[in-house]
Amino acid sequence: QQIKTPPPVDTSVQNVIWTNNAGVTVSSNSLTKINTWDWGKGAISSQSILAGDGYIEFSTNEANTFKIAGLNNGDANYQYEEIDYSFDFGGSNDLYIFENGINKAGKISSYFSGDIFRIAIESRVVKYYKNGVLLYTSNVPPTYPLALDAALYSKDSTITNGKIAYKPVACVPIECPRPRPGCTWNLEYDQNNCRIGCGTVVCVPPPPPQQATLTASPSTAAPGATITVDFANVSDPTITDFISLY
């Protein structure tokens, strides 16, 4: 039976690894917008919260630029309207909560360089924190997986020290019957690396039958006669078997 061992899950806080970046420079777990003032530039973390509780966290080096960052399911484009749960940073220290481009609460707070922003999933409820203080609770349940997604507008705007944390997913064991010899299961796994089915049986074709020839002696057959033996039908291919088959 084929056994696939899920990889270990790091439940500690991880620095995000940015991917799909466009129009930004990446330095470790931080982003900086380059060259232009426009939307359609950003990046997303390669790690995701697959299920259950978790959070993303980040900071910024300035309070006078426009950018948006938060939790997102998918990465269809670099526009801020796509991000499911996000902090929107105004150019004059103004902080907003946006969900798919919709302002949810007006100006919710001010912000400054070095503030720490967290969007957390707690018992399937999304909550927004600044420096550990709860600012807003969403009424939209999350759709997994969720990654840290950022869209930056202003030249030289930053999203810094991006982090992600999540708890491991508890898999429900699914046992598969033992396949016949020479066969294995093509097991099925979900995005959490939990086994969800046995799949189909894959069998390795048996080798072709081995052929052997035995030249009979004059006392049992005409001189020069040959006997062809199929080893697949011989339990123990000894001379006794040959004589018996003959």
Side-chain angles (χ1 to χ4, degrees):
Q1 181 179 357
Q2 183 182 6
I3 303 241
K4 182 177 179 183
T5 303
V9 177
D10 184 2
T11 58
S12 63
V13 180
Q14 306 172 39
N15 289 336
V16 301
I17 300 171
W18 295 107
T19 188
N20 291 352
N21 51 294
V24 296
T25 59
V26 177
S27 177
S28 184
N29 57 337
S30 299
L31 299 174
T32 302
K33 175 74 180 296
I34 55 177
N35 296 331
T36 59
W37 296 67
D38 57 356
W39 292 113
K41 306 297 189 294
I44 192 169
S45 66
S46 61
Q47 310 103 309
S48 296
I49 301 169
L50 301 177
D53 292 349
Y55 66 85
I56 54 94
E57 190 175 88
F58 59 91
S59 186
T60 183
N61 286 340
E62 72 291 328
N64 60 350
T65 62
F66 297 92
K67 63 263 182 178
I68 285 183
L71 281 170
N72 195 22
N73 169 250
D75 189 31
N77 55 58
Y78 299 99
Q79 301 299 329
Y80 71 88
E81 297 94 340
E82 190 214 8
I83 303 178
D84 298 326
Y85 310 92
S86 64
F87 283 107
D88 172 70
F89 301 88
S92 301
N93 300 85
D94 299 330
L95 184 65
Y96 305 88
I97 303 296
F98 270 52
E99 293 184 355
N100 293 118
I102 298 174
N103 188 337
K104 304 298 290 187
K107 178 183 175 180
I108 201 164
S109 180
S110 298
Y111 77 99
F112 300 92
S113 171
D115 284 346
I116 298 174
F117 306 93
R118 176 182 293 193
I119 303 177
I121 306 167
E122 301 172 5
S123 301
R124 293 192 60 81
V125 176
V126 178
K127 298 182 179 182
Y128 297 76
Y129 297 87
K130 185 190 78 171
N131 297 330
V133 177
L134 178 65
L135 297 182
Y136 181 78
T137 300
S138 177
N139 59 8
V140 179
T143 299
Y144 299 94
L146 288 161
L148 172 54
D149 199 354
L152 292 80
Y153 177 85
S154 302
K155 183 178 180 294
D156 298 326
S157 58
T158 63
I159 296 294
T160 61
N161 202 26
K163 297 181 182 296
I164 190 168
Y166 52 88
K167 293 183 179 179
V169 176
C171 299
V172 177
I174 293 180
E175 297 299 328
C176 300
R178 184 183 298 277
R180 63 182 182 272
C183 301
T184 58
W185 288 107
N186 184 21
L187 301 173
E188 299 172 344
Y189 292 84
D190 64 12
Q191 63 186 14
N192 302 319
N193 212 28
C194 294
R195 186 187 298 177
I196 58 174
C198 297
T200 57
V201 174
V202 178
C203 298
V204 177
Q210 300 181 53
Q211 299 290 328
T213 59
L214 176 68
T215 301
S217 67
S219 61
T220 57
T226 60
I227 301 171
T228 299
V229 179
D230 184 352
F231 276 109
N233 296 318
V234 179
S235 59
D236 182 12
T238 63
I239 189 63
T240 304
D241 291 315
F242 294 163
I243 294 173
S244 175
L245 286 170
Y246 177 75

